[in-house]
Amino acid sequence: MKSEPNRNYSEVTEFVLLGFITPPKVQILLFLVFLLIYMVTVVGNISMIIVIKVDSRLHMPMYFFLRNLSYLDLCYSTVIAPKTLANFLSKGKKISYNGCAAQFFFFALFVTTEGFLLAVMAFDRFSAICSPLLYPVHMSQKVCAQLVTGSYICGGINSMVQTGFTFSLRFCGENRLDHFFCDVPALIKISCADTSVNEVVLFILSAVIIITTTTVIVVSYAYILSTVLKIPSTHGRGKTFSTCGSHIAVVSLFYGAVFFMYAQPGAISSPESNKIVAVLYTLVIPMLNPLIYSLRNRDVQEAMKRILLHRK
């Protein structure tokens, strides 16, 4: 819907999140499924944060980054899930204009930061495996803090630019978002202004972020693979590369979903597909990340056992 010259319009002060258009019984079922996912997400990520904080054996760069990953997963799922759950039980499904802007700002902040943090975690594995003697220098406490801070700064810049461009658009009465949260593609679709610049900005920013971070990840793992293949023992190769397995799984899920959602020129025109993929990276991935790391990481498993046995 695009505006015509001199056309009268009323500014939108709130949006309606259409979400999943299904019969009432299905809405209740979806509410229960989403509630279960969110509860597992909260318990899993808080448990990971506490375990890494409490157990001194996990006070290493790898687990420092993992703790921050759990914090980000907890934050951006919390930005989306409570409002989505409330809307399943609400007839109005409304969100204020400012509330919508705030939801998108924090969602973009945490998701973008996570993308950069995953690249930092790949660099950490590269340093540990390819330069083990220099690893304490490359990944000192100060450097780790700077890398996490830099990830947040990059996330903040992207979030401010995206929020500024998106909410400078004109919305002329049509306020129904065909989504379950405030996201750029859905907002662009109902704007009555020319959105070509916004679509280009969305595509370019997403592409730059994905290309930059995936390049770091791919190059890091190329060097890791080269180093691992030089290890004569099969057991040694498996043990060394096993420390990267969880990270590879998380990266594949996260970047696959984000690329499908934002880095395709046609992403804005397929709302139903967007909703399904959005559920994956806003709710399912934050739930899976602590499960992946706890199930595949012996150090985390042993730390959990020590904490549980100590309490007994």
Side-chain angles (χ1 to χ4, degrees):
M1 177 179 174
K2 306 300 174 187
S3 62
E4 299 172 3
N6 302 320
R7 179 179 174 179
N8 292 327
Y9 63 89
S10 59
E11 290 290 350
V12 167
T13 58
E14 63 183 14
F15 295 100
V16 176
L17 297 169
L18 296 178
F20 300 92
I21 303 172
T22 59
K25 290 183 179 179
V26 179
Q27 291 281 309
I28 297 297
L29 178 62
L30 288 174
F31 170 81
L32 294 174
V33 171
F34 277 52
L35 179 61
L36 177 61
I37 291 172
Y38 182 56
M39 288 174 64
V40 174
T41 300
V42 171
V43 172
N45 283 291
I46 289 179
S47 298
M48 189 68 74
I49 292 168
I50 292 172
V51 167
I52 294 172
K53 180 71 175 177
V54 170
D55 196 300
S56 59
R57 295 177 180 84
L58 300 182
H59 291 178
M60 296 183 290
M62 175 181 172
Y63 297 106
F64 172 74
F65 296 132
L66 180 54
R67 190 178 74 189
N68 279 276
L69 179 68
S70 292
Y71 174 74
L72 288 168
D73 284 336
L74 181 63
C75 285
Y76 81 74
S77 61
T78 299
V79 169
I80 304 300
K83 183 61 179 175
T84 302
L85 290 168
N87 284 345
F88 279 128
L89 305 178
S90 168
K91 291 183 178 179
K93 303 182 187 298
K94 294 177 181 178
I95 184 170
S96 69
Y97 184 92
N98 290 336
C100 187
Q103 186 186 57
F104 174 72
F105 174 83
F106 286 109
F107 171 71
L109 168 65
F110 294 130
V111 169
T112 307
T113 301
E114 179 157 328
F116 281 98
L117 184 64
L118 289 172
V120 167
M121 293 172 75
F123 177 72
D124 170 68
R125 291 298 82 208
F126 158 76
S127 299
I129 294 171
C130 300
S131 305
L133 297 178
L134 295 175
Y135 181 64
V137 178
H138 289 166
M139 286 296 173
S140 64
Q141 189 173 0
K142 181 181 178 180
V143 171
C144 291
Q146 289 173 339
L147 288 170
V148 171
T149 302
S151 297
Y152 274 96
I153 290 172
C154 292
I157 292 171
N158 176 62
S159 182
M160 286 187 287
V161 172
Q162 292 276 22
T163 305
F165 268 89
T166 302
F167 287 89
S168 65
L169 288 172
R170 181 183 297 166
F171 302 98
C172 310
E174 175 57 73
N175 68 340
R176 293 174 300 170
L177 289 176
D178 194 7
H179 214 321
F180 61 91
F181 72 99
C182 294
D183 201 10
V184 173
L187 287 160
I188 285 177
K189 195 166 185 179
I190 67 167
S191 173
C192 57
D194 181 9
T195 60
S196 56
V197 173
N198 295 73
E199 293 181 34
V200 170
V201 168
L202 171 64
F203 177 74
I204 290 176
L205 279 176
S206 300
V208 167
I209 291 168
I210 290 173
I211 290 170
T212 302
T213 53
T214 52
T215 298
V216 172
I217 292 168
V218 169
V219 171
S220 296
Y221 277 108
Y223 277 102
I224 289 170
L225 183 61
S226 175
T227 301
V228 169
L229 291 176
K230 293 176 183 177
I231 299 174
S233 165
T234 304
H235 175 72
R237 287 198 298 267
K239 186 177 180 181
T240 303
F241 201 71
S242 66
T243 62
C244 306
S246 300
H247 184 254
I248 292 172
V250 169
V251 165
S252 300
L253 286 170
F254 181 84
Y255 279 98
V258 170
F259 179 83
F260 182 90
M261 193 74 182
Y262 300 109
Q264 299 181 86
I268 291 169
S269 62
S270 53
E272 293 307 317
S273 298
N274 285 355
K275 289 179 196 177
I276 295 170
V277 177
V279 170
L280 176 65
Y281 76 84
T282 59
L283 296 169
V284 177
I285 291 177
M287 176 189 70
L288 291 178
N289 283 353
L291 296 177
I292 291 171
Y293 276 101
S294 61
L295 292 174
R296 295 182 60 91
N297 191 299
R298 185 173 296 175
D299 291 338
V300 173
Q301 290 175 5
E302 291 178 353
M304 288 180 174
K305 289 178 183 177
R306 283 193 294 269
I307 292 171
L308 293 173
L309 290 172
H310 179 71
R311 287 186 175 182
K312 290 180 181 180

